[in-house]
Amino acid sequence: MEKVTIATVARRAGVSRQTVSNVLNTPDVVREETRERVREAIAELGYRVNQAARQMRTGRSRLIAVRIEPANDGINGSVLDRFLHGLTDAAGLAGYRVMLYTAAGDDDEIATYEELLSAYDLDAFVLTSTHHGDPRTSWLAGRDIPFVTFGRPWGAPDTHSWVDVDNASGTTAATERLLATGHRRIGFLGWPAGSGVGDARREGWARALGAAHLLGSSAGVEDGVDTGAAAARGLLAAEPDTTALVCASDSLALGALEAAREMGRDCAVIGFDDTAVARAIGLTSVSQPLAEAAGRCMDLLRELLDGRAPSAPTHVLLPPSLVLRQTA
Amino acid sequence: MEKVTIATVARRAGVSRQTVSNVLNTPDVVREETRERVREAIAELGYRVNQAARQMRTGRSRLIAVRIEPANDGINGSVLDRFLHGLTDAAGLAGYRVMLYTAAGDDDEIATYEELLSAYDLDAFVLTSTHHGDPRTSWLAGRDIPFVTFGRPWGAPDTHSWVDVDNASGTTAATERLLATGHRRIGFLGWPAGSGVGDARREGWARALGAAHLLGSSAGVEDGVDTGAAAARGLLAAEPDTTALVCASDSLALGALEAAREMGRDCAVIGFDDTAVARAIGLTSVSQPLAEAAGRCMDLLRELLDGRAPSAPTHVLLPPSLVLRQTA
DNA sequence: TTGTAGGCGTTATCAA
DNA sequence: TTGATAACGCCTACAA
């Protein structure tokens, strides 16, 4: 298979290279008849624009970079995986490709930005795992590099576009489900105060209980099955009439189930993230719409990249959904 | 920040552009003193070669493509995730970058190859999830496109390089562990015969038992927690003296644990893949060395890409390891 | 050992 | 509406 360039197409269609380029990039400037002839030639020859050459002229690569993190030590690791798949799909539909990189910490990641930008002319970045005092966003913003975060900028000003999942509404839905099935004493098993996500999840539970004029106790521990089990034991022992637990993660929920079983307590449990573990053991869990989140990230990116960016940054908050299984 | 090109560096170092290029690509041809001067200029200016320009000249992109699959409906989905992370790391070290794509089936994937090759000049592909009658390898091989598979070519001739994990040795190790801890009646819970991976895992168990002059029963069912539980119930009921079960997956193992608990049987269980679920519930499991597999894939790719490919394709078979937890 | 010339495939500019 | 020309940054061939 010979290399088919714009010149091959031009020859076949009997026009100049420039006309072919116009058909590709500004079709409306070419006479209809010519346009058709060129399109036929393109189809017959199976021509595809060469990104490298285009990139050299335009300075744009149609490449988007995302960091792939080490599969978290645990149970919640597949979240990024699913997001990545969705992003790759959405990017492909928009004519972009996703490039992966790894980084050991924020500074290393910023060094990687420099490398990717100067070597590959990356068009944009999608950041995940945003956190308090995140230096990455200000670095990118300071250089006017298009980016979107999946996760809101905790504690920082909302100066860029982001997509996030409404954590509070997830635990609210979980709590309401438990209320609807007759539970009246519903505890919350979460993380220590201070993490944006964790606080939001606790808040959602508290709000739903408040709306029903009920009270509930909560515990905050580091994420993990064992820590969850220990905390649940404490909670259940202190509150003999607690019949349900809303948890900030599937790990904690798994621990809670263990504790309840050991104690011979009948206790409904709802986790968060709908991980493989939840699916495997039949744990009812709050599921994040990851494919949609990825799609929205791509939408925002396209706005940025096509120059038709809105004057103000856009923020998208997606509602999670409750996946009912055996535990609640 | 101005754009720094090879010309900027040349000016700064007081040499020609060609000399800079030589320092980059064939350093040994440049006098030491000149080389140093150029290197200093490069460092001072923060120069980085522009991949697009290089690619236009050389036809090589330093890009490697991998398909990201939808997070499997189950418990074993994180395997690809960890492999991807390892591959991204290894590629980065070797000066390559990983590009992602999705595909709905083999034919769609082949269409994507064409697109990626002609548009982005991809240097190589890493294929995962090889299977019987896989059309992808022959397509790539027929066009002399460098590729490596993670997973051997089941049922097809070994005409390309691949990396795989020695499944049989994994279940052998699991079985030997059980033998060493005193178990004498050890069953196997696997998949229906016919899948290369599943057959190998069963074979490893049978081999270890044979070496100890023991016998054991096995069952073959579709992967899943419920199917595993049902099969384990059958196995344990039929063989009252069975005290341990080696399983072809963590899903099956989870089912086996459930069954044993229900039946009040004390039964050691070992799973396969060391998934998040295994870590979460303390399941002893056979772990695939995914980071190493990724590194070896990259090594093979480099051989192919550097033209120093061995005359015959290379095959790498890596031993998995047993991760001991509470269940065995 | 170093420098000069040309071209990779595309698009922007400008002229026809 | 179409076409000629130059330029993006780099590398290979060849000349000095």
Side-chain angles (χ1 to χ4, degrees):
Chain A
M1 195 153 36
E2 294 301 309
K3 191 167 294 181
V4 179
T5 78
I6 213 171
T8 327
V9 176
R11 230 173 302 133
R12 171 72 143 253
V15 299
S16 73
R17 291 179 318 188
Q18 181 52 33
T19 300
V20 178
S21 174
N22 283 337
V23 170
L24 258 26
N25 301 298
T26 42
D28 30 305
V29 94
V30 179
R31 195 182 351 136
E32 164 130 19
E33 184 198 302
T34 320
R35 203 190 309 150
E36 267 325 299
R37 199 146 34 94
V38 171
R39 289 212 165 117
E40 273 169 30
I42 289 178
E44 284 169 21
L45 295 165
Y47 165 80
R48 282 189 178 88
V49 304
N50 178 316
Q51 280 299 329
R54 166 177 280 181
Q55 174 180 342
M56 245 215 311
R57 276 303 291 172
T58 63
R60 304 186 49 184
S61 60
R62 303 196 76 82
L63 248 31
I64 289 170
V66 192
R67 168 174 166 185
I68 182 167
E69 306 181 36
N72 295 5
D73 39 322
I75 194 168
N76 291 320
S78 76
V79 170
L80 176 66
D81 195 28
R82 287 182 276 167
F83 177 76
L84 262 188
H85 187 267
L87 191 69
T88 305
D89 258 350
L93 255 27
Y96 286 83
R97 293 280 164 194
V98 173
M99 183 183 276
L100 250 31
Y101 64 92
T102 59
D106 290 331
D107 292 338
D108 188 29
E109 182 158 359
I110 288 174
T112 306
Y113 293 160
E114 300 201 89
E115 146 82 17
L116 290 174
L117 288 168
S118 54
Y120 290 92
D121 273 317
L122 254 92
D123 284 351
F125 292 84
V126 175
L127 310 199
T128 57
S129 305
T130 50
H131 51 264
H132 280 104
D134 200 321
R136 303 172 300 166
T137 50
S138 47
W139 193 93
L140 291 168
R143 282 160 187 74
D144 274 323
I145 296 157
F147 73 96
V148 171
T149 64
F150 175 41
R152 74 197 82 180
W154 299 106
D158 263 359
T159 47
H160 64 267
S161 291
W162 51 257
V163 173
D164 203 356
V165 169
D166 189 346
N167 288 285
S169 93
T171 40
T172 294
T175 310
E176 284 170 349
R177 156 76 185 179
L178 293 167
L179 289 169
T181 49
H183 294 277
R184 282 297 166 270
R185 195 76 191 182
I186 303 170
F188 180 81
L189 196 50
W191 304 319
S195 98
V197 173
D199 294 350
R201 292 183 185 178
R202 182 189 318 263
E203 169 64 23
W205 158 80
R207 196 189 301 157
L209 280 193
H213 307 292
L214 291 171
L215 290 173
S217 318
S218 71
V221 295
E222 292 300 323
D223 197 54
V225 178
D226 295 341
T227 53
R233 260 190 296 271
L235 220 49
L236 292 175
E239 313 252 353
D241 50 348
T242 291
T243 60
L245 246 25
V246 172
C247 304
S249 77
D250 283 353
S251 312
L252 292 175
L254 191 53
L257 284 174
E258 244 176 63
R261 192 174 55 225
E262 275 172 23
M263 301 171 75
R265 287 279 285 271
D266 201 18
C267 182
V269 172
I270 299 185
F272 208 112
D273 272 346
D274 190 28
T275 58
V277 180
R279 290 192 292 278
I281 65 174
L283 171 67
T284 291
S285 188
V286 178
S287 172
Q288 301 197 39
L290 295 168
E292 189 183 354
R296 301 303 288 272
C297 281
M298 196 58 224
D299 290 344
L300 296 181
L301 238 34
R302 292 183 74 180
E303 283 179 6
L304 253 39
L305 293 169
D306 294 354
R308 53 182 171 80
S311 42
T314 311
H315 305 147
V316 176
L317 202 53
L318 299 171
S321 60
L322 191 61
V323 179
L324 297 177
R325 296 202 181 84
Q326 291 87 317
T327 64
Chain B
M1 195 154 38
E2 292 302 308
K3 191 167 294 182
V4 180
T5 77
I6 213 172
T8 326
V9 176
R11 231 173 301 135
R12 171 71 141 254
V15 298
S16 74
R17 292 178 318 184
Q18 179 51 33
T19 301
V20 179
S21 174
N22 283 337
V23 171
L24 259 26
N25 302 299
T26 43
D28 31 303
V29 95
V30 180
R31 191 178 356 132
E32 164 129 20
E33 184 198 301
T34 320
R35 203 191 309 152
E36 267 325 299
R37 199 145 36 91
V38 171
R39 288 213 165 119
E40 273 168 28
I42 288 178
E44 285 169 20
L45 295 166
Y47 165 81
R48 281 189 178 88
V49 304
N50 179 314
Q51 279 301 326
R54 168 178 278 181
Q55 174 179 344
M56 258 226 291
R57 272 305 281 158
T58 63
R60 304 186 49 184
S61 59
R62 304 196 75 83
L63 249 30
I64 288 169
V66 193
R67 167 173 164 184
I68 182 169
E69 305 181 37
N72 295 5
D73 39 323
I75 197 168
N76 291 319
S78 76
V79 170
L80 175 66
D81 196 28
R82 288 183 276 166
F83 177 76
L84 262 187
H85 187 267
L87 190 68
T88 304
D89 259 349
L93 255 28
Y96 286 82
R97 293 279 165 194
V98 172
M99 183 183 277
L100 249 32
Y101 63 91
T102 58
D106 290 331
D107 292 339
D108 189 28
E109 183 159 0
I110 288 174
T112 306
Y113 294 159
E114 301 202 85
E115 146 83 18
L116 290 175
L117 288 168
S118 54
Y120 290 92
D121 272 317
L122 254 92
D123 283 351
F125 293 84
V126 175
L127 310 199
T128 57
S129 306
T130 49
H131 51 264
H132 280 102
D134 200 320
R136 302 172 301 167
T137 49
S138 48
W139 193 92
L140 291 168
R143 282 161 188 74
D144 275 321
I145 296 158
F147 73 97
V148 171
T149 64
F150 175 41
R152 74 198 82 178
W154 299 106
D158 263 0
T159 47
H160 64 267
S161 291
W162 50 256
V163 173
D164 204 356
V165 169
D166 189 348
N167 289 284
S169 94
T171 39
T172 294
T175 310
E176 284 170 351
R177 155 76 184 178
L178 292 167
L179 290 169
T181 49
H183 294 276
R184 284 297 166 269
R185 195 77 191 182
I186 303 169
F188 180 81
L189 197 50
W191 304 318
S195 100
V197 172
D199 294 349
R201 293 184 183 176
R202 181 190 318 261
E203 169 63 22
W205 157 81
R207 197 189 301 157
L209 280 194
H213 306 293
L214 291 171
L215 289 173
S217 318
S218 73
V221 296
E222 290 302 323
D223 197 55
V225 177
D226 295 339
T227 52
R233 258 190 296 272
L235 221 48
L236 292 175
E239 312 253 352
D241 49 348
T242 291
T243 61
L245 247 24
V246 172
C247 305
S249 78
D250 284 353
S251 312
L252 292 175
L254 191 52
L257 284 174
E258 244 177 62
R261 192 172 57 226
E262 274 172 23
M263 300 170 76
R265 286 279 285 272
D266 201 18
C267 182
V269 173
I270 299 185
F272 209 111
D273 272 346
D274 190 29
T275 58
V277 179
R279 291 193 291 278
I281 65 172
L283 171 67
T284 291
S285 187
V286 178
S287 172
Q288 301 196 41
L290 295 168
E292 190 184 353
R296 302 302 288 272
C297 281
M298 195 59 223
D299 290 344
L300 296 182
L301 239 33
R302 291 183 75 180
E303 284 179 4
L304 254 37
L305 292 170
D306 294 354
R308 54 182 170 81
S311 43
T314 311
H315 305 146
V316 176
L317 202 52
L318 298 171
S321 60
L322 192 61
V323 179
L324 297 177
R325 297 206 180 82
Q326 290 87 314
T327 63

